[in-house]
Amino acid sequence: MASETYVVHASTTRDVALRERTDFWSEHVTSCQSRMGYGYPRTDDFHAGTIRQFTDTHQLVMFWSDTITYTRTAGQTRHAPDEDYRLLLPVTGEMVMRQGDQELRLVPGAGCLVTFATPFELRQDVSARALIMSIAAQEVNGRLNRSSPLTAAIDLASGLGRVVGDMLTGLHEERDTLTTGQFDAVSDRLVELLCMLAAGDDRPTAPGHLTDVETMVRRYIREHAADPGMTGITVAQALGWSLRQVQLALQHAGTTPRELIREERLRLVRDRLPAPAYRHMTITELAYASGFSSSSALSTAFRQRFGVCPREVRHAGPRPVGDTRPS
């Protein structure tokens, strides 16, 4: 059965003997992120800590420490492959990220999207506290139509970037009040908005300004997911585009109208199952109210997507099932 647990866990070197603190920190960060190298100016009395939030799908970590340099070498990318991205945002202090031919100075409001698939060096000052979110590679590469890894500076101080930054810090600040479904849902939306920021000139916009088409299609499908008559054709007609434009825009993002409609309906059911406002509804009624043609169609799709059936989630308690897509 899929895990339904959203976990918040704090760790600190204060609970470790002085001579063991750097070893503890190296092992701890590796277990949370990936294999890296660690440069400690001081090894006799190292102070550091994390607050980690995670489900089966998403992870957000607040971390702080004395001065340290993290490195990921070419050998480590080969022997401990990790294709996923990290969104890095300092909350206080300063960091310097070097990857490829880029050097990024990171301060509050100035973050970066970094890949663990290629070598990098990250220098952290003693005053720095930062948030780091793990993001599955396909979530970024599919939306941006990329076949090679991306490293990008992200302005989180204004406009849409500020919205993303506020969502990220809010996700951390409200960590003790969130459910599995809430944490996953906010993380999903945050990644979607982040990709819009990171796209820049990397995502094709012709023909038909595909970037704008995809954004509008995703928003429309999410808002009308419960409509049982929604298809790729009805979406295209409602937005004033051709079906081909809609299909091409979603193809660049690695999906199709049918798949996206099913995904949003499944997320709708996932969110509604534990909600008090829908507890009075049977699974069949919930299926029809969420756009599915029958309870059996919902159960089959739900089990394929989340690893459990809706009835198991309904009987499990107030927390919704976590997303079980492979990272």
Side-chain angles (χ1 to χ4, degrees):
M1 179 173 176
S3 170
E4 301 175 17
T5 304
Y6 161 65
V7 178
V8 179
H9 185 261
S11 297
T12 175
T13 57
R14 288 197 303 266
D15 303 324
V16 181
L18 292 180
R19 65 181 180 279
E20 299 174 357
R21 289 183 174 182
T22 53
D23 288 340
F24 165 81
W25 187 246
S26 298
E27 293 174 3
H28 176 62
V29 175
T30 295
S31 68
C32 292
Q33 300 296 337
S34 193
R35 187 182 301 173
M36 291 185 285
Y38 304 87
Y40 299 97
R42 291 186 55 187
T43 59
D44 54 336
D45 186 13
F46 184 74
H47 299 267
T50 61
I51 300 175
R52 183 186 179 207
Q53 303 162 245
F54 63 96
T55 63
D56 291 335
T57 310
H58 298 287
Q59 174 177 272
L60 176 64
V61 180
M62 169 69 81
F63 67 101
W64 61 93
S65 76
D66 291 341
T67 300
I68 187 173
T69 299
Y70 299 96
T71 57
R72 186 157 164 83
T73 66
Q76 288 166 339
T77 63
R78 289 194 302 269
H79 300 301
D82 182 343
E83 300 297 321
D84 292 341
Y85 290 91
R86 308 300 192 276
L87 171 60
L88 181 61
L89 173 63
V91 178
T92 62
E94 178 178 316
M95 298 178 166
V96 176
M97 167 64 72
R98 296 187 180 93
Q99 187 164 47
D101 58 356
Q102 294 192 64
E103 178 173 304
L104 304 176
R105 177 177 173 267
L106 308 178
V107 295
C112 73
L113 185 65
V114 59
T115 175
F116 270 44
T118 60
F120 66 77
E121 177 184 283
L122 174 65
R123 188 178 73 245
Q124 175 181 339
D125 289 341
V126 66
S127 61
R129 296 174 66 94
L131 289 164
I132 184 167
M133 171 174 270
S134 302
I135 304 173
Q138 64 267 24
E139 293 292 329
V140 175
N141 294 340
R143 287 189 170 98
L144 301 185
N145 191 33
R146 296 189 63 88
S147 59
S148 59
L150 168 71
T151 300
I154 306 293
D155 179 4
L156 300 174
S158 61
L160 180 59
R162 183 175 178 181
V163 174
V164 171
D166 288 346
M167 288 176 66
L168 195 66
T169 54
L171 202 58
H172 167 71
E173 291 169 354
E174 298 299 321
R175 59 189 177 276
D176 294 325
T177 68
L178 300 174
T179 66
T180 302
Q182 291 167 347
F183 180 77
D184 281 341
V186 174
S187 298
D188 286 339
R189 302 303 180 252
L190 196 152
V191 171
E192 183 177 339
L193 295 175
L194 174 66
C195 287
M196 293 175 62
L197 281 173
D201 296 328
D202 292 298
R203 183 161 36 164
T205 57
H209 302 291
L210 297 185
T211 300
D212 295 335
V213 175
E214 181 201 339
T215 300
M216 294 299 294
V217 167
R218 287 183 179 276
R219 181 180 300 123
Y220 183 91
I221 291 177
R222 182 178 307 123
E223 292 174 353
H224 298 83
D227 179 3
M230 183 167 57
T231 65
I233 293 175
T234 63
V235 171
Q237 290 174 340
L239 295 174
W241 291 307
S242 70
L243 176 60
R244 178 56 181 160
Q245 281 178 302
V246 171
Q247 291 173 330
L248 188 59
L250 294 183
Q251 178 183 338
H252 280 293
T255 188
T256 66
R258 183 178 181 180
E259 291 172 350
L260 187 57
I261 290 169
R262 183 178 64 245
E263 175 69 10
E264 290 300 335
R265 286 173 176 166
L266 288 171
R267 291 186 182 186
L268 185 62
V269 173
R270 182 186 67 179
D271 293 340
R272 286 178 168 180
L273 277 169
Y278 294 91
R279 294 292 293 180
H280 68 284
M281 299 179 68
T282 66
I283 299 299
T284 299
E285 291 171 336
L286 190 58
Y288 289 135
S290 303
F292 286 90
S293 59
S294 66
S295 60
S296 60
L298 167 61
S299 295
T300 299
F302 199 92
R303 181 177 288 278
Q304 289 175 344
R305 178 67 170 81
F306 299 115
V308 294
C309 68
R311 197 171 303 279
E312 289 176 274
V313 176
R314 171 62 63 80
H315 292 162
R319 287 186 301 197
V321 67
D323 187 336
T324 59
R325 284 174 296 175
S327 59

